Amino acid sequence: MPDIIIHGATSFLGKHFLRKLISHQIPVTVFARESSNLSAIDNNSLIRIIHYKKSLNEINSDSLNLESPVFFEFSWHGVFGADRNIPEQISVNIPLIISSITLAHQLNSKHWIGIGSQAEYGNLDKRINETDECNPTTLYGKSKLWCSQISSELCKSYGMEHSWLRLFSVYGPDDNHEWLIQYLIKEMLSYKDINVTKGEQLWDYLFVEDISEMLFKLKDAKGVGVANLGSGKVVKVRYIIEKIKELTESNSIINFGAVPYRDDQVILMEADITRLSNHLNWKPETSMEEGLKKTIESFKVKV
């Protein structure tokens, strides 16, 4: 079994995948800034935490004694909508990815795995596969696309397996960010009235535990290259809104159409996940209703 490295263990995907590994009693080395809040994992004997101040370049690879590790890179600066066109998308994230792959090479890693985004494609309004032309509309999407290309070339030059997973929409318990589903659950549990669009959008949502299962398989597989990561099917946003209201038993009033669509509103956003599914013999198992129930329950526990 390969050694496992995680950079970005406090991210939404990182912390869920870390839990998955620990539940299987698999030791993990975590790279983290000194400022990261790792109190939830600090005293776990299966987790070795290696701190750095500003950059992964500070880590001494010779002292770690790892055996051909698989390197999972979850870290990214600026994922909120308001941050998607800040200069740091380029100035911070591209050096981050380069230093991540460089360190992986110094550690004799056999496989480097990074997380991309459907934003690399731009607003295609269709079922998307990896051969579709990329035309990103934000610095976030452009930086992710550049990093997919940079990481591919660097891994090739270092003789490492490479996987770049273009993530569509993800949801689940303990999300770090208040995206649509988390926002709706919080508001409905508080019985607040909610203004939304008409809800005609058809979007691809993947439950976070299905991602952890996929990553668990990928740690023992060869690199897949660039691959879409989604559920492979769409659900209407109006259904999600109405289902959350039903499951929370909320009396919130939902004002459909009170929020206009943006000029660049994407109505259809669906991932063709054939490449990843065939590569790993994997497919998502969690239904939308089951995933929403688990996510809602996690909110109730917090309350």
Side-chain angles (χ1 to χ4, degrees):
M1 183 178 296
D3 286 324
I4 304 296
I5 295 170
I6 290 179
H7 182 222
T10 59
S11 68
F12 183 38
L13 298 188
K15 63 188 176 185
H16 275 273
F17 182 49
L18 182 59
R19 289 172 192 164
K20 176 82 172 176
L21 294 167
I22 297 308
S23 71
H24 284 78
Q25 297 296 299
I26 296 175
V28 184
T29 297
V30 170
F31 295 152
R33 287 180 181 271
E34 291 179 351
S35 57
S36 296
N37 181 5
L38 299 174
S39 56
I41 63 173
D42 248 338
N43 297 315
N44 193 308
S45 61
L46 289 170
I47 302 172
R48 175 173 59 162
I49 301 174
I50 307 297
H51 289 287
Y52 63 90
K53 290 184 179 180
K54 293 183 179 180
S55 170
L56 287 169
N57 296 328
E58 301 165 24
I59 294 174
N60 179 6
S61 58
D62 293 334
S63 65
L64 297 182
N65 193 30
L66 294 167
E67 185 68 32
S68 300
V70 178
F71 195 118
F72 289 87
E73 180 56 75
F74 295 109
S75 187
W76 190 269
H77 178 82
V79 297
F80 286 110
D83 294 334
R84 293 205 166 193
N85 280 302
I86 59 175
E88 288 84 354
Q89 290 291 348
I90 298 171
S91 63
V92 172
N93 290 315
I94 291 178
L96 183 157
I97 294 300
I98 293 172
S99 63
S100 174
I101 297 170
T102 301
L103 179 56
H105 171 59
Q106 292 169 350
L107 292 166
N108 296 313
S109 293
K110 66 175 186 177
H111 190 179
W112 183 91
I113 298 159
I115 305 298
S117 169
Q118 56 82 21
E120 295 174 55
Y121 293 110
N123 301 339
L124 295 185
D125 256 334
K126 66 187 288 286
R127 181 174 173 84
I128 300 170
N129 66 49
E130 295 85 358
T131 63
D132 284 313
E133 183 178 358
C134 292
N135 187 25
T137 60
T138 62
L139 276 183
Y140 172 80
K142 292 175 182 178
S143 296
K144 285 283 190 182
L145 178 60
W146 293 331
C147 285
S148 76
Q149 298 163 343
I150 291 169
S151 61
S152 176
E153 291 303 317
L154 280 178
C155 285
K156 185 187 299 183
S157 69
Y158 289 143
M160 280 190 294
E161 299 286 341
H162 171 257
S163 295
W164 182 263
L165 307 173
R166 286 181 176 157
L167 180 64
F168 282 62
S169 296
V170 58
Y171 73 103
D174 302 322
D175 197 349
N176 299 354
H177 310 295
E178 196 173 272
W179 303 121
L180 177 65
I181 288 176
Q182 285 74 18
Y183 165 75
L184 291 169
I185 293 172
K186 187 187 76 172
E187 296 297 288
M188 289 192 203
L189 287 175
S190 300
Y191 302 108
K192 294 180 181 179
D193 296 345
I194 304 171
N195 294 330
V196 293
T197 67
K198 293 179 181 179
E200 299 163 314
Q201 304 96 311
L202 296 166
W203 288 351
D204 186 317
Y205 274 97
L206 181 59
F207 190 56
V208 67
E209 290 177 10
D210 285 324
I211 297 178
S212 293
E213 180 62 29
M214 180 279 300
L215 293 171
F216 195 80
K217 284 177 170 285
L218 188 57
K219 70 178 175 55
D220 298 314
K222 292 190 175 184
V224 68
V226 174
N228 290 336
L229 175 55
S231 69
K233 59 183 71 172
V234 293
V235 60
K236 186 171 282 191
V237 167
R238 185 171 186 126
Y239 167 84
I240 295 173
I241 297 170
E242 291 173 340
K243 181 57 68 173
I244 292 173
K245 181 174 181 179
E246 173 192 326
L247 294 173
T248 56
E249 300 180 337
S250 177
N251 61 10
S252 295
I253 295 173
I254 312 299
N255 298 311
F256 287 102
V259 177
Y261 292 132
R262 302 191 313 268
D263 291 340
D264 62 347
Q265 180 67 62
V266 176
I267 298 299
L268 175 60
M269 184 174 61
E270 182 178 13
D272 181 339
I273 61 170
T274 304
R275 178 178 294 178
L276 190 59
S277 294
N278 290 345
H279 185 74
L280 296 175
N281 191 25
W282 164 86
K283 65 178 181 178
E285 299 291 343
T286 309
S287 69
M288 192 80 216
E289 182 166 350
E290 181 185 354
L292 288 175
K293 284 179 180 178
K294 289 183 177 180
T295 308
I296 290 166
E297 286 305 309
S298 73
F299 271 83
K300 291 180 178 178
V301 169
K302 290 179 184 177
V303 175

